[in-house]
Amino acid sequence: MLKIKDLNVSYGQTQVLQEIGLSATEGEFIGIIGPNGSGKTTLLKAITKVLKPTSGTIVIDGTNIEKMGSNEIAKNVAVVSQVVSINFEFTVKDIVLMGRNPYIKSSESVEDINIANDVMEKTNINFLKDRMITQLSGGELQRVIIARALTQTPKILLLDEPTSHLDITNQIEILNLVKKSSTKGMVVIAVMHDLNLAAYYCDKICLLRDGCMISIGTPKQVLTPTNIEVAFNLPIEVMNNDRTNSIYVMPILEPLNEISD
Ligand SMILES: Nc1ncnc2c1ncn2[C@@H]1O[C@H](COP(=O)(O)OP(=O)(O)OP(=O)(O)O)[C@@H](O)[C@H]1O
Ligand SMILES: [Mg+2]
């Protein structure tokens, strides 16, 4: 479904991503983790052709994205960006329906409207549908933006810190929903800062540091004390969660009265 090979991306003279290789098959949920500034958002921007790589290839479903127009990219890839600001007076249902734009020729069809309604139902935003987008809380807005991306019915869903504005219940609800969509075949690539949620939801995790992929594999392979120390400069303990059969990580903190200047 997605094959990234030897990808290098620069901003002007500064190289930000180096020799990234990553592949995803149907239904995979892939987490991208790494410190602030390590290149996670840049990688997502390369996949949507917002940034042109200096070298390397990105192939979606057998086609190099260099050969795809923006509409074709939009039919294949939906993005939920890290920072979203919408200052126009649209209602929530208008915004969600915009997910169908790549498919709409003159005006939306009954099918387009049905898809949007179905997604609003599943993302629990029906009660917001007639509200103005400018009058939502941060968490409500984030759910609407995720709903718009799902309405796009993409083959690949890119999420850049999708749950940063959500309370813990909504984080789990949205990630459950995204996970369910991935089990139906959609590839999910999610930038995540919560390592425990990444361990639980991801089939594969890719760890970036300074634009290089320093580890890729299952959560158990990637979330090791050594890898996390190297990437984040933070000692952690890894434990097994027998109930979920996943791992969780805990930073090893000093007692508060031992924190020195
Ligand atoms: N438009 C830009 N022009 C120049 N440099 C940029 C630009 N956008 C990002 N960078 C730099 O590229 C590097 C990677 O940025 P990127 O946004 O990909 O990081 P990130 O891993 O998503 O970080 P965060 O966790 O803070 O969101 C950083 O050093 C950043 O300062
Ligand atoms: Mg980012």
Side-chain angles (χ1 to χ4, degrees), residues 69-191:
S70 56
N71 219 45
E72 208 181 340
I73 299 256
K75 284 181 184 170
N76 284 284
V77 188
V79 195
V80 175
S81 307
Q82 192 170 9
V83 184
V84 177
S85 79
I86 301 174
N87 297 316
F88 304 105
E89 292 291 316
F90 287 115
T91 61
V92 165
K93 63 174 191 280
D94 290 337
I95 293 285
V96 174
L97 193 56
M98 279 176 199
R100 299 307 297 162
N101 281 356
Y103 305 90
I104 294 172
K105 292 210 169 71
S106 52
S107 64
E108 65 268 9
S109 66
V110 174
E111 195 201 350
D112 294 319
I113 293 168
N114 286 345
I115 291 172
N117 284 338
D118 187 45
V119 172
M120 283 194 287
E121 176 90 40
K122 288 197 175 117
T123 46
N124 281 334
I125 57 167
N126 254 336
F127 72 105
L128 294 171
K129 71 180 183 197
D130 295 313
R131 293 266 300 276
M132 286 296 162
I133 195 83
T134 46
Q135 293 167 10
L136 302 181
S137 77
E140 289 166 346
L141 178 62
Q142 201 155 27
R143 277 201 283 165
V144 172
I145 301 303
I146 291 170
R148 181 178 63 182
L150 290 172
T151 300
Q152 219 170 311
T153 57
K155 291 180 186 152
I156 301 170
L157 176 64
L158 305 180
L159 302 165
D160 202 344
E161 298 179 44
T163 58
S164 56
H165 292 289
L166 303 183
D167 67 48
I168 184 71
T169 314
N170 277 320
Q171 285 184 27
I172 290 169
E173 202 175 275
I174 286 293
L175 288 170
N176 281 349
L177 181 75
V178 169
K179 183 78 181 175
K180 230 183 275 169
S181 306
S182 82
T183 57
K184 288 182 192 145
M186 189 173 75
V187 169
V188 176
I189 301 183
V191 172

Side-chain angles (χ1 to χ4, degrees), residues 35-42 44 82-83 160-161 191 193:
N36 294 135
S38 55
K40 304 179 298 295
T41 298
T42 304
L44 299 194
Q82 192 170 9
V83 184
D160 202 344
E161 298 179 44
V191 172
H193 277 302

Side-chain angles (χ1 to χ4, degrees), residues 24 35 37 52 54 96 121 158 205 214 216 218 226 240 252 259 261:
K52 192 175 158 38
T54 41
V96 174
E121 176 90 40
L158 305 180
I205 292 180
I214 62 167
I216 183 161
T218 63
T226 310
N240 274 313
I252 300 172
I259 296 178
D261 289 337

